Amino acid sequence: MRKYYDEQKNQLAELYCNCCGKKIKTENGTIMEGVFPAHVLWGYFSGKDGERHQFDLCEDCYDKWVAAFQIPPETELENELL
């Protein structure tokens, strides 16, 4: 869950894991630890047609979530994180 200083959502004020509620460290609007941001616009043929969902998971909750997958996520190492 993200909280912003302004209605235009220009600067992040606080960030919380939607799963466990942990406050994720931020400094001056910059996220300072691992977080998984999810954004999805549900399309046709779903029970959520036209709904936009977004949430954030801390790294611990992400690890627990993907550990339950029958098929693990594909991963590859990036050389630069810019």
Side-chain angles (χ1 to χ4, degrees), residues 33-62:
E33 62 182 277
V35 65
F36 175 80
H39 306 270
V40 63
L41 174 59
W42 291 93
Y44 297 119
F45 313 112
S46 75
K48 300 166 190 62
D49 291 359
E51 291 182 15
R52 182 179 308 275
H53 292 200
Q54 81 177 41
F55 61 90
D56 295 285
L57 297 178
C58 68
E59 194 168 358
D60 288 340
C61 288
Y62 172 83

Side-chain angles (χ1 to χ4, degrees), residues 8-80:
Q8 292 76 30
K9 299 182 177 181
N10 290 323
Q11 187 171 7
L12 184 65
E14 294 179 327
L15 176 61
Y16 296 87
C17 175
N18 283 77
C19 186
C20 71
K22 170 188 169 187
K23 185 173 184 178
I24 295 170
K25 185 177 180 182
T26 60
E27 287 182 13
N28 299 319
T30 301
I31 301 168
M32 302 301 291
E33 62 182 277
V35 65
F36 175 80
H39 306 270
V40 63
L41 174 59
W42 291 93
Y44 297 119
F45 313 112
S46 75
K48 300 166 190 62
D49 291 359
E51 291 182 15
R52 182 179 308 275
H53 292 200
Q54 81 177 41
F55 61 90
D56 295 285
L57 297 178
C58 68
E59 194 168 358
D60 288 340
C61 288
Y62 172 83
D63 290 342
K64 291 174 190 171
W65 182 41
V66 299
F69 287 7
Q70 291 297 311
I71 302 170
E74 294 181 23
T75 61
E76 60 183 75
L77 189 59
E78 291 289 329
N79 292 327
E80 295 187 30

